[in-house]
Amino acid sequence: MAEKYDSKTLDKKWQQKWADDKLYEVKDNDPRPKWYALTMFPYTSGDLHIGHWYNYVPADVSARYKRMRGFNVLHPMGFDAFGLPAENAAIKRGIHPNTWTMQNIDNMRRQLKSIGGIYDWNREVITCLPEYYKWTQWFFTKLFEHDLAYHGKAPVNWCPKCQVVLANEQVENGKCWRCESEVVRRDLEQWLLRITRYADELMVHEGIDWPERIKIMQRNWVGKSYGTEISFALDHPGVTEKEIRIFTTRPDTVYGVTFMALAPEHPLVARLTTPEHKAEVEAYIARCRQFTEIERLSTEKEKDGVFTGAYCINRLNGKKVPIWIADYVLSSYGTGGVMAVPAHDERDFAFAKKYNIPIPVVISPPDWDGKELEVAYIEPGKMVNSAQFNGLPSEKGIEAVSIYLEEKGWGKRTVSYKIRDWLISRQRYWGPPIPMIHCPKCGIVAVPEKDLPVMLPETADFRPTGESPLKYNEKFINTTCPRCGGPAKRETDTLDGFMCSCWYFLRYCSPHYDKAAFDPKAVKHWLPVDIYTGGAEHAVMHLLYTRFFIKAIRDMGLVDFGEPFTKLFNQGIIIADHQKMSKSKGNVVNPDVYVSDLGADTVRAYLMFLGPWDQGGEWDDSGISGMSRWLNRVWNLALDEYSSKGSGGDEELVRLTHQTIKKVTEDVERLHFNTMVAALMEFSNYLGKVKESGSASVKEWKTSVKALLLMLAPTAPHLAEEIWQKLGYAYSIHNQRWPDWDESLTKTEEITLVIQVNGKLRERVTVPASISAEEAKKLAADQDKVKPFLEGKQVVNIIYVPGKLVNIVVK
RNA sequence: GCCGAAGUGGCGGAAUGGCAGACGCGGCGGUCUCAAAAACCGUUGAGGGGUAACUCUCGUGCCGGUUCGAAUCCGGCCUUCGGCACCA
């Protein structure tokens, strides 16, 4: 009997040796083809739960497999280290965000090392270190230089008592979570990135292999719609503008307009409102401000609004159209105003009903009786009450009306997008300071590269209001203008953490390079990323931001590709108690316990065996002992003395070995790890039987065990390495080639032919693989178990699927 | 409301037009043991018939369709999960 399998000592022993030997060190100048396997780096929340392992283990297995297939694999790891939780910890517990974050990193790095991954820790990237955020800031100045970053007004949640911006989560029932003052919507000066400039390109996912649903989510988020901008004539005392322009996708309904609806924030509102409506309008606007954006946009909320007292003219029919303001109109979409056609739009319909505004039909439903509509009719139909367009199908009318408007100069076809510019400034401490200087003479000036990074001051006075301590740090604020040398003030906002994660995968390529954000040679070598794995929750945040960022720096000539991630794979989520794991819910499952109990390999294999990787599921450890048992069996199987009693079983053993190599290779290529592990189990079960009977020669036995170990190496790296060494093979198993299979050896000379009658299984016979169709059909009808089902029936057809089955169809 | 994914034994799941339930957990029976645990071996979808080897019927959320043949393809519905949600 071989020595017992002891996972604990093996984990430590090999992790130490691999580190000492720099086994997983990645070099750029390596003749092998490159493979960049990226996995989303963790946020430094404190500790990794089992869900993180579910993300990282299969990614590591896949990367290890590629390594064994002869690729020079870059599979790096780092930490997304800037963000709000660090600052909240500071406010709550008086611990400095930097201390909190770096402690968390130490713990998480320890955990990550216990997985036994192939991370090259020399390439670790931490976004909150000055050597990293220097370049995050540098990128920001580049974006500013290229007019992709700008300072402008954006609506935010504002607490007037605390004098602070609140995140949506910090607003409870319209009140500040700290002081319970009424929260107000306010337009504040913010920094934004012009992601909208890339809207069209972001909708296209050409040449990249991404999950369909992520592509759909991104396209919906960008939300491109084709429509027409229509000018309504305006003649209002004291207003210089002679028109109101609106965007519509339904110009065919323009003859049914019975009111205009402007967003409360629309710039014309104040000037259009007549004196007798002023009080009402102002009260309404004030009330709107009390809603958060989320509440205001809720479909639950009843649509309401007020009349301004002003009118404009529908140029197509000369009708006078009352101008209302309504909070269902968004100031940030289209032109901030809509032409309301209540008969053919659900929202306008509800509004018109409430305020008794007429609802004339201009698109006739198929069997319309001329009566008033009960609900808005939004489907296509025939145009009616629309002057020269009457009788035209509405789909055609869209174009016809648009062309007419263009001819008259009353409108033009255009496109509109749902996506907004990316609000990137945060009134917070724990982020990269936005490297901008406000000079009273020169205006906004970027901090030049030589003065970067703009260091985050260490001493910080954290206020219970959640305000950025930077705002009150005189030493930080006061500076000189890089252009005129005069006194100036620093920007005190910091950058959104998502800006840091836009380029971390570039930094991995040359993490210690100090002349630029990255060494262009290294990035040219490694990028784009061959496979990116991570959660789908980033579909319209990180993944969209990053695509924008890369396209932007491509256009600056910094990189020569526009899509950073060639293939994207979203793993599923491990849940506990039917919900996502999170500290606040207290349902996090700590992997450390399992690792110290059962060893990393068991936990690795178990996570992969749970089910399809993209599916995730409820965490349940009831089966993990089975995985432990299996690895034990493999240990004994490989290390116990094998005594052969002949070579009669060689043929079958060789065949099963090659079949398994084929199956396992195909599964790992497709990231089907659960069936890959199952195939390895089946194979080892079979080897157990061979060992029992001694039916194969020692030579074939050894070859098969070797193949099993090589295929097991990515999944159970410690166990495989130990057995490999004990069997006397050369260190390290992880530098070996993945086994190949010979297709001809996977085939059998005899096959099992399935015989069906009317599609129902009736018999199985073993026949030579070379059997002809005629023979097979004849044989099938001759079977004793088949005959009774043919008796008294007429055979109408016989289907033969070569190598598989015969189906006799009877009547 | 709209978009997307998924529904298979007691449980996780396998099979994506051809033997439903691979592999594992759990259960049951056994070996070992004074006994138990561990380990190992056998068995395990439901229902029926047979002393038995065995054998038949039903069965992949529900209803219908296509096909020689459907878990798999098509249409309709139900349920669960994820995303978006007044975008004119």
Side-chain angles (χ1 to χ4, degrees):
Chain A
M1 212 40 194
E3 160 192 351
K4 260 191 90 181
Y5 167 47
D6 174 17
S7 55
K8 253 176 268 182
T9 41
L10 292 194
D11 284 3
K12 279 205 197 84
K13 170 182 168 184
W14 289 112
Q15 281 167 23
Q16 190 59 54
K17 180 152 172 65
W18 295 332
D20 292 346
D21 297 345
K22 297 183 164 52
L23 190 71
Y24 303 126
E25 192 176 61
V26 183
K27 299 221 167 75
D28 295 348
N29 54 345
D30 187 298
R32 293 173 296 176
K34 70 95 184 178
W35 182 261
Y36 193 170
L38 182 69
T39 186
M40 290 178 190
F41 64 167
Y43 174 70
T44 50
S45 58
D47 18 39
L48 300 172
H49 54 67
I50 202 79
H52 289 103
W53 278 59
Y54 189 71
N55 304 349
Y56 299 138
V57 166
D60 181 61
V61 171
S62 170
R64 283 175 172 275
Y65 160 78
K66 280 287 173 186
R67 216 171 157 269
M68 290 178 80
R69 288 303 293 254
F71 287 90
N72 184 30
V73 175
L74 177 59
H75 184 53
M77 187 48 79
F79 298 96
D80 183 17
F82 268 137
L84 210 63
E87 204 165 335
N88 288 341
I91 294 165
K92 224 195 228 160
R93 289 184 268 155
I95 177 171
H96 194 279
N98 187 59
T99 315
W100 185 82
T101 303
M102 295 317 275
Q103 277 173 2
N104 288 346
I105 288 175
D106 282 343
N107 183 49
M108 291 167 77
R109 193 190 291 114
R110 172 194 63 77
Q111 287 187 298
L112 282 162
K113 284 185 175 175
S114 77
I115 295 181
I118 55 168
Y119 311 124
D120 177 355
W121 289 101
N122 282 327
R123 289 179 182 260
E124 179 189 76
V125 158
I126 299 175
T127 60
C128 69
L129 298 180
E131 69 236 42
Y132 184 87
Y133 73 69
K134 169 179 179 175
W135 300 111
T136 308
Q137 291 174 336
W138 178 81
F139 278 119
F140 186 84
T141 63
K142 288 285 134 188
L143 291 166
F144 179 70
E145 225 172 76
H146 287 83
D147 190 35
L148 288 168
Y150 65 97
H151 203 218
K153 279 203 166 156
V156 293
N157 300 309
W158 177 257
C159 172
K161 190 170 171 203
C162 302
Q163 294 277 299
V164 72
V165 170
L166 297 171
N168 280 333
E169 309 83 66
Q170 295 161 353
V171 181
E172 293 163 355
N173 300 321
K175 292 175 178 175
C176 173
W177 66 308
R178 282 182 197 282
C179 70
E180 296 191 22
S181 315
E182 291 274 338
V183 168
V184 177
R185 286 169 36 82
R186 211 167 150 175
D187 290 330
L188 274 189
E189 289 284 320
Q190 302 278 324
W191 284 95
L192 296 108
L193 297 185
R194 289 194 207 279
I195 191 170
T196 49
R197 199 172 275 178
Y198 286 85
D200 273 314
E201 215 187 329
L202 289 169
M203 301 239 315
V204 184
H205 301 82
E206 224 169 52
I208 56 176
D209 177 12
W210 280 33
E212 204 54 40
R213 74 173 205 283
I214 300 289
K215 293 195 279 187
I216 290 169
M217 276 163 82
Q218 292 200 338
R219 281 200 292 269
N220 290 345
W221 190 261
V222 174
K224 182 177 189 174
S225 26
Y226 295 88
T228 306
E229 216 173 273
I230 303 178
S231 163
F232 283 72
L234 193 66
D235 186 16
H236 195 81
V239 176
T240 46
E241 286 91 339
K242 292 296 165 211
E243 61 168 2
I244 292 184
R245 297 187 79 87
I246 56 86
F247 173 80
T248 181
T249 55
R250 294 293 302 274
D252 54 318
T253 64
V254 70
Y255 287 87
V257 172
T258 50
F259 65 101
M260 277 286 138
L262 300 183
E265 300 85 355
H266 195 283
L268 280 175
V269 168
R271 284 175 286 149
L272 284 178
T273 304
T274 56
E276 57 272 29
H277 289 93
K278 200 170 173 222
E280 209 187 342
V281 166
E282 280 175 359
Y284 182 77
I285 292 172
R287 200 150 50 81
C288 287
R289 284 210 162 158
Q290 280 169 13
F291 289 105
T292 62
E293 185 140 27
I294 288 170
E295 283 166 339
R296 187 176 140 188
L297 298 187
S298 164
T299 45
E300 313 287 298
K301 187 184 169 298
E302 199 186 330
K303 286 165 204 12
D304 57 17
V306 286
F307 179 44
T308 60
Y311 293 86
C312 60
I313 303 290
N314 184 348
R315 300 186 204 260
L316 283 111
N317 56 13
K319 279 190 182 154
K320 225 173 137 185
V321 180
I323 301 172
W324 288 64
I325 60 174
D327 68 352
Y328 74 90
V329 181
L330 305 172
S331 61
S332 50
Y333 182 77
T335 61
V338 302
M339 61 174 214
V341 185
H344 307 294
D345 181 283
E346 282 168 0
R347 297 153 298 185
D348 300 344
F349 187 90
F351 195 91
K353 276 272 174 201
K354 185 175 165 108
Y355 295 106
N356 287 315
I357 299 169
I359 306 176
V361 173
V362 291
I363 305 294
S364 147
D367 38 22
W368 184 48
D369 52 10
K371 288 203 188 110
E372 246 179 66
L373 295 177
E374 299 287 320
V375 288
Y377 178 75
I378 54 176
E379 303 297 316
K382 205 168 265 177
M383 290 178 75
V384 292
N385 302 321
S386 299
Q388 72 267 38
F389 298 102
N390 282 339
L392 203 61
S394 57
E395 294 108 312
K396 292 223 169 94
I398 291 174
E399 202 195 349
V401 171
S402 299
I403 290 172
Y404 181 70
L405 287 166
E406 283 174 349
E407 280 168 359
K408 291 281 190 180
W410 294 340
K412 66 168 204 288
R413 276 169 288 186
T414 175
V415 289
S416 204
Y417 301 90
K418 286 207 276 194
I419 193 172
R420 308 289 149 78
D421 277 340
W422 174 12
L423 198 160
I424 201 166
S425 50
R426 296 288 177 270
Q427 293 72 45
R428 288 284 168 176
Y429 169 74
W430 194 235
I434 293 178
M436 290 291 155
I437 289 167
H438 299 269
C439 171
K441 274 194 218 143
C442 314
I444 295 174
V445 182
V447 175
E449 186 179 335
K450 65 172 175 54
D451 295 338
L452 292 177
V454 175
M455 293 288 286
L456 198 55
E458 247 178 73
T459 45
D461 170 21
F462 295 99
R463 312 232 163 181
T465 57
E467 278 174 286
S468 171
L470 297 184
K471 240 177 119 174
Y472 299 96
N473 189 322
E474 294 296 323
K475 249 172 90 184
F476 175 80
I477 293 180
N478 293 315
T479 185
T480 50
C481 172
R483 196 170 294 163
C484 69
K489 295 210 183 293
R490 283 196 193 281
E491 172 63 59
T492 57
D493 284 356
T494 53
L495 289 167
D496 182 4
F498 280 113
M499 173 99 189
C500 306
S501 53
C502 272
W503 70 282
Y504 75 109
F505 50 93
L506 303 178
R507 189 68 184 169
Y508 279 142
C509 301
S510 52
H512 310 295
Y513 196 68
D514 58 5
K515 293 187 199 60
F518 55 83
D519 178 352
K521 277 207 309 286
V523 163
K524 205 171 172 60
H525 176 69
W526 289 107
L527 270 284
V529 167
D530 295 283
I531 183 165
Y532 194 23
T533 53
E537 67 272 20
H538 291 290
V540 292
M541 294 192 288
H542 167 61
L543 289 168
L544 196 66
Y545 293 149
T546 303
R547 289 181 65 222
F548 152 67
F549 181 88
I550 291 296
K551 289 172 198 306
I553 66 168
R554 172 205 59 197
D555 291 344
M556 298 172 195
L558 295 172
V559 294
D560 60 1
F561 53 91
E563 290 290 352
F565 314 125
T566 304
K567 183 182 166 82
L568 175 72
F569 184 91
N570 296 121
Q571 80 270 330
I573 299 166
I574 295 290
I575 56 172
D577 308 324
H578 311 289
Q579 35 185 343
K580 250 175 110 167
M581 281 184 209
S582 79
K583 272 191 189 164
S584 57
K585 289 179 199 130
N587 65 342
V588 287
V589 177
N590 184 347
D592 294 1
V593 192
Y594 294 105
V595 175
S596 60
D597 251 26
L598 302 162
D601 290 342
T602 294
V603 183
R604 288 172 68 101
Y606 185 61
L607 284 166
M608 302 219 298
F609 188 61
L610 279 180
W613 194 25
D614 56 0
Q615 221 169 281
E618 184 81 21
W619 171 252
D620 173 12
D621 64 7
S622 65
I624 199 165
S625 58
M627 195 50 72
S628 203
R629 278 203 284 269
W630 175 57
L631 291 180
N632 245 298
R633 280 204 299 276
V634 170
W635 172 272
N636 294 328
L637 184 76
L639 294 176
D640 283 356
E641 199 65 36
Y642 174 75
S643 54
S644 170
K645 295 193 180 73
S647 59
D650 278 5
E651 195 187 313
E652 194 181 49
L653 177 59
V654 169
R655 184 170 68 244
L656 275 155
T657 303
H658 284 256
Q659 279 175 352
T660 304
I661 297 171
K662 181 181 178 179
K663 166 80 177 150
V664 168
T665 306
E666 286 169 355
D667 278 350
V668 69
E669 286 279 357
R670 292 183 303 164
L671 310 175
H672 288 193
F673 300 110
N674 57 328
T675 51
M676 177 201 77
V677 173
L680 288 174
M681 285 176 166
E682 261 182 278
F683 185 49
S684 73
N685 288 347
Y686 172 77
L687 287 177
K689 290 206 175 82
V690 172
K691 192 176 98 179
E692 196 78 14
S693 64
S695 60
S697 65
V698 171
K699 178 174 167 269
E700 292 307 338
W701 169 261
K702 281 192 169 168
T703 308
S704 296
V705 168
K706 200 171 166 182
L708 173 68
L709 293 174
L710 289 167
M711 287 187 283
L712 193 62
T715 301
H718 312 85
L719 173 83
E721 186 80 289
E722 179 74 14
I723 299 176
W724 190 255
Q725 186 199 43
K726 280 194 153 52
L727 291 179
Y729 296 120
Y731 176 78
S732 153
I733 191 170
H734 303 298
N735 284 341
Q736 306 302 313
R737 284 298 295 236
W738 183 260
D740 289 312
W741 78 88
D742 179 339
E743 188 66 36
S744 66
L745 292 176
T746 65
K747 298 262 162 50
T748 41
E749 281 168 30
E750 291 188 321
I751 54 158
T752 302
L753 191 68
V754 169
I755 300 166
Q756 299 178 334
V757 178
N758 286 349
K760 285 207 171 94
L761 174 76
R762 293 303 171 190
E763 180 62 305
R764 282 178 266 252
V765 285
T766 304
V767 299
S770 57
I771 193 167
S772 73
E774 285 314 304
E775 284 170 318
K777 287 179 185 178
K778 191 157 169 291
L779 189 74
D782 270 354
Q783 296 302 307
D784 286 344
K785 284 189 193 153
V786 172
K787 279 179 187 163
F789 294 97
L790 304 181
E791 242 162 67
K793 304 272 174 69
Q794 193 198 341
V795 175
V796 276
N797 197 4
I798 302 178
I799 313 280
Y800 174 60
V801 182
K804 277 192 180 150
L805 67 86
V806 176
N807 185 16
I808 304 171
V809 186
V810 298
K811 248 208 291 214

